Amino acid sequence: MRDERGFTLLEILVSLAIFAVVVVGALGVLGAASAGGFLEGFPSGFATTRAARDVTAAAVYVQAFQEFVAGQNSAALTPGTYCEGPQCSSPNLASSGLSGWPVPPSEPYQLDWQRLDVTIERWYWDSASRAYRCSEPSPPCTFPIPTNPVTEYLVRVQTQLTWRLRGVTRTIDVERFLP
């Protein structure tokens, strides 16, 4: 049987042992070369996932709020700036004609939301300048107020949700024009 070609079982086991030692050594060098090893990136990856989840939750909430506003009678909306939340001093949403929308949940695993700011403006078509102009004398509007009565207009609703994540204040803005 000595004339047969191939490797013996003992030779294969020795070569596998040598290969395992080389691979473990190489992985140890690579792990030490990266900033702190494999588990070093886990907390930052976890925080990134949490931030992405919070941004997604905030975007869904604000978009759903905009859909709620779109379902309301735009003529019944009162122009102005409104705020809802623990850090608000301006009038709340109920005075704008937008009552009935729930505020974001305040459980610790949800958004640590601070405030929801809503600005409602009426815009009309100015045929002389061929542009939309703001028809309300509120601070966000900087255009001249029309002298003739406006019968057709668009309602601009800008929503900004502010929340905190790990001590960092984050905001998301959504703007929509309603007929």
Side-chain angles (χ1 to χ4, degrees):
M1 288 206 164
R2 288 265 179 198
D3 295 339
E4 294 183 21
R5 300 182 58 121
F7 298 104
T8 65
L9 181 60
L10 184 61
E11 291 172 331
I12 292 174
L13 288 176
V14 169
S15 65
L16 282 176
I18 293 170
F19 180 73
V21 168
V22 170
V23 167
V24 168
L27 288 177
V29 169
L30 289 175
S34 67
F38 174 71
L39 294 178
E40 176 70 24
F42 184 75
S44 63
F46 183 71
T48 302
T49 302
R50 170 67 195 267
R53 188 189 76 189
D54 278 1
V55 168
T56 303
V60 167
Y61 177 82
V62 172
Q63 186 61 38
F65 177 78
Q66 287 285 352
E67 293 297 324
F68 170 76
V69 172
Q72 304 297 310
N73 180 4
S74 61
L77 299 178
T78 306
T81 301
Y82 306 96
C83 183
E84 195 73 44
Q87 295 184 347
C88 291
S89 59
S90 60
N92 63 6
L93 287 178
S95 57
S96 69
L98 291 174
S99 59
W101 183 254
V103 295
S106 59
E107 287 85 19
Y109 57 88
Q110 295 290 330
L111 293 174
D112 182 17
W113 75 289
Q114 305 296 311
R115 60 189 296 146
L116 176 68
D117 294 300
V118 179
T119 302
I120 300 172
E121 299 171 339
R122 287 197 173 105
W123 291 67
Y124 71 97
W125 178 255
D126 183 9
S127 57
S129 64
R130 300 189 53 82
Y132 278 99
R133 301 286 186 195
C134 188
S135 64
E136 304 298 329
S138 59
C141 299
T142 57
F143 300 109
I145 300 170
T147 54
N148 55 347
V150 177
T151 57
E152 292 185 21
Y153 55 85
L154 296 174
V155 175
R156 176 183 173 260
V157 179
Q158 179 186 12
T159 307
Q160 181 180 55
L161 180 65
T162 304
W163 75 96
R164 294 183 62 79
L165 176 64
R166 293 186 171 213
V168 177
T169 302
R170 301 173 186 271
T171 60
I172 189 166
D173 292 311
V174 176
E175 175 179 336
R176 186 174 190 169
F177 281 90
L178 308 172

